[in-house]
Amino acid sequence: MSSYTTALNENNMRSSSENFVTAIVPLMKLLCLTIIGLILAHPKTQIIPRATFKLLSKLVFTLFLPCLIFTELGESITLENFALWWFIPVNVLISTIIGFFLGLLVVAICHPPPQLNGFTIIMTAFGNTGNLPLAIVGSVCHTKDNPFGAHCHSRGVAYVSFSQWVAVIMVYTLVYHMMEPPLQYYEIVEEGFEIEGQQPTTDVSRPLLVEAEWPGIEDKETEHAKTPFIARIFNSISSLSQTNFPDVELSGDSSANSPRSIRCLDEPRVLRRIRIVAEQTPLCQILQPPTIASLLAIIIGTVPQLKAFVFGYDAPLSFITESLEILAGAMVPSVMLVLGGMLAEGPNESMLGLPTTIGISVARLFVLPLLGIGVVALADKLNFLVQGDAMYRFVLLLQYTTPSAILLGAIASLRGYAVKEASALLFWQHGFALCSLSLYTVIYFKLLSYI
């Protein structure tokens, strides 16, 4: 932290008022776009129907966002940069681990309902590392006197995109299993023959907040999506549980002579259970359009021959990349309009409770960014970061500052667990984020102006 403290005492830097204006104006632009979306989608006006916002969300997910990632990351990435940027995905892991412990602290202090302890930890640990940071970077770089210099937008988008694959893998593996309904709670509602999470949800009633970053989530449901699958396998379950839940370990092994049954007999019991869990993990869902765009951009960008063929004014396929750039320009306004449409629905009823809602929001939006400043400063002192690159540091700091990922709402819907709580919490967090992002963006600009 000494380098930051020394920098703050120098006299030849921009005034605090200049830093404040430079930091706030981009956020005001995003706020205006969000308010427009809120007005267009508000139930009292209904200028644009809800179905249109769902269609716009699908366009963002399948077209605008992949185009932005491919054009900016592919042009910026090289083998040398691939090695230099290693701390960006590592920082996502660090921020998630710190958020995990903050979530445990929120559970210990705020005492949410027992069945929502895991949900509380998840919502504190996993932030938005995709759409919102891309929108903030795009708005900041659109400012005339942005502090990041030339190629601000391309570098910022490349840094954010480079970190997304880590977050996506964690969400579709770790979060997917952590978000399963608790076994005890599941058994209680099963006795009453009514499981709230498994009631069919119509397309009209499904909250837009829970599917905005994963359109068509209702088509991704698997056989065990809405059951406590891991708990049934690894926990010693009661006779009631065994009645309610048939032994999933033996499913598909009806033939004693099948290769699969022979393999299971040879496997230790623990390894067999791990294998079953791995088989039920929807790894195929990782290959979503944004992830595919990231992989293609990295492959093409790190191979000079391919890069020269696709990127650059003289490239034979430059007309394709330029067309994708035009589509990519619609990403930021579309994302903010969709966010406004989501907020127009208002918060749902929630069993989480006011203390826990406030606790998660404070931990995620105010405490975690403070710790993030310390982590990035320490990494800078250890020479882990790209020297003299303020945008690199800004993206690292943003990873600690954003509200919980909207994709968590989609996972909650897929697992039938805490759907209303996720929608309500995401609503309040994105409302509080206006204050926290403004505060920390000013702080970040003040720190980064001394690099």
Side-chain angles (χ1 to χ4, degrees):
M1 295 291 288
S2 60
S3 62
Y4 284 83
T5 305
T6 303
L8 288 172
N9 293 325
E10 296 179 3
N11 296 322
N12 58 346
M13 303 303 165
R14 295 185 303 173
S15 65
S16 298
S17 60
E18 290 176 325
N19 282 316
F20 180 80
V21 171
T22 305
I24 291 299
V25 167
L27 295 178
M28 292 299 101
K29 296 177 184 178
L30 297 181
L31 177 61
C32 288
L33 291 173
T34 305
I35 291 176
I36 292 173
L38 192 152
I39 294 173
L40 293 176
H42 197 276
K44 291 185 178 180
T45 59
Q46 282 290 314
I47 299 174
I48 295 180
R50 186 175 181 275
T52 303
F53 280 91
K54 294 187 66 174
L55 178 60
L56 182 59
S57 175
K58 183 171 292 188
L59 282 172
V60 170
F61 183 77
T62 60
L63 183 61
F64 300 152
L65 179 58
C67 287
L68 180 65
I69 291 174
F70 180 78
T71 55
E72 300 296 350
L73 180 59
E75 192 168 9
S76 302
I77 193 74
T78 62
L79 280 175
E80 181 183 1
N81 288 341
F82 194 87
L84 286 174
W85 298 353
W86 67 271
F87 191 75
I88 295 178
V90 170
N91 192 59
V92 175
L93 296 176
I94 295 174
S95 66
T96 303
I97 292 171
I98 296 175
F100 180 85
F101 285 106
L102 286 177
L104 291 175
L105 187 62
V106 171
V107 169
I109 295 175
C110 300
H111 304 291
Q115 68 269 22
L116 295 176
N117 285 343
F119 171 82
T120 301
I121 296 170
I122 292 169
M123 298 301 287
T124 309
F126 294 87
N128 190 326
T129 60
N131 287 358
L132 189 55
L134 286 172
I136 294 173
V137 166
S139 184
V140 166
C141 294
H142 193 265
T143 305
K144 183 179 179 180
D145 56 346
N146 78 82
F148 302 111
H151 308 293
C152 168
H153 186 256
S154 60
R155 287 186 294 114
V157 172
Y159 294 153
V160 174
S161 302
F162 191 67
S163 68
Q164 278 194 299
W165 61 271
V166 178
V168 168
I169 290 175
M170 287 195 298
V171 166
Y172 288 116
T173 55
L174 182 62
V175 173
Y176 177 82
H177 288 302
M178 289 180 66
M179 197 73 89
E180 72 176 19
L183 180 62
Q184 298 83 353
Y185 176 68
Y186 189 92
E187 288 181 346
I188 291 172
V189 295
E190 177 73 5
E191 278 189 279
F193 302 100
E194 182 178 358
I195 304 175
E196 181 180 356
Q198 289 188 307
Q199 294 299 318
T201 305
T202 64
D203 186 64
V204 175
S205 62
R206 186 188 302 274
L208 185 59
L209 265 168
V210 305
E211 60 175 342
E213 289 198 5
W214 196 359
I217 187 174
E218 62 276 3
D219 300 328
K220 311 299 181 181
E221 184 176 327
T222 61
E223 179 184 358
H224 300 291
K226 287 183 167 60
T227 63
F229 184 73
I230 293 182
R232 286 156 48 188
I233 293 179
F234 284 92
N235 291 2
S236 55
I237 52 181
S238 62
S239 58
L240 174 63
S241 302
Q242 292 172 351
T243 302
N244 291 337
F245 307 128
D247 188 0
V248 295
E249 295 184 59
L250 299 179
S251 61
D253 293 340
S254 55
S255 174
N257 297 322
S258 67
R260 186 173 181 180
S261 63
I262 296 173
R263 181 182 63 182
C264 289
L265 290 174
D266 292 338
E267 287 178 341
R269 189 173 183 83
V270 173
L271 291 181
R272 191 193 322 170
R273 292 174 175 178
I274 293 175
R275 177 181 57 79
I276 292 171
V277 171
E279 289 174 352
Q280 292 297 324
T281 302
L283 294 175
C284 59
Q285 305 300 343
I286 293 176
L287 294 178
Q288 299 294 330
T291 313
I292 296 173
S294 299
L295 293 174
L296 286 176
I298 291 173
I299 292 171
I300 294 175
T302 53
V303 179
Q305 293 80 4
L306 289 177
K307 189 170 186 177
F309 197 75
V310 177
F311 296 101
Y313 293 109
D314 299 329
L317 298 182
S318 62
F319 65 95
I320 295 180
T321 54
E322 290 174 4
S323 300
L324 298 180
E325 287 176 1
I326 296 173
L327 291 171
M331 187 270 175
V332 171
S334 299
V335 164
M336 302 317 296
L337 288 175
V338 170
L339 179 60
M342 293 187 297
L343 296 179
E345 295 183 341
N348 286 329
E349 297 180 1
S350 172
M351 294 175 54
L352 197 59
L354 182 61
T356 307
T357 301
I358 294 175
I360 295 173
S361 301
V362 170
R364 178 77 230 172
L365 300 177
F366 293 96
V367 178
L368 187 60
L370 281 177
L371 300 176
I373 293 175
V375 171
V376 175
L378 178 60
D380 195 12
K381 187 175 181 180
L382 296 173
N383 295 320
F384 289 164
L385 312 183
V386 178
Q387 296 301 313
D389 191 338
M391 176 56 76
Y392 187 94
R393 289 157 178 78
F394 181 64
V395 169
L396 293 177
L397 292 167
L398 270 184
Q399 292 173 346
Y400 292 90
T401 316
T402 56
S404 300
I406 296 178
L407 187 56
L408 299 180
I411 297 295
S413 178
L414 184 65
R415 300 308 306 263
Y417 171 55
V419 180
K420 293 182 179 179
E421 286 73 19
S423 180
L425 184 60
L426 288 170
F427 174 88
W428 291 117
Q429 274 203 37
H430 282 78
F432 297 150
L434 174 63
C435 176
S436 63
L437 280 171
S438 300
L439 171 64
Y440 280 105
T441 303
V442 172
I443 295 174
Y444 296 160
F445 274 40
K446 183 71 175 176
L447 296 175
L448 295 172
S449 64
Y450 304 123
I451 295 178

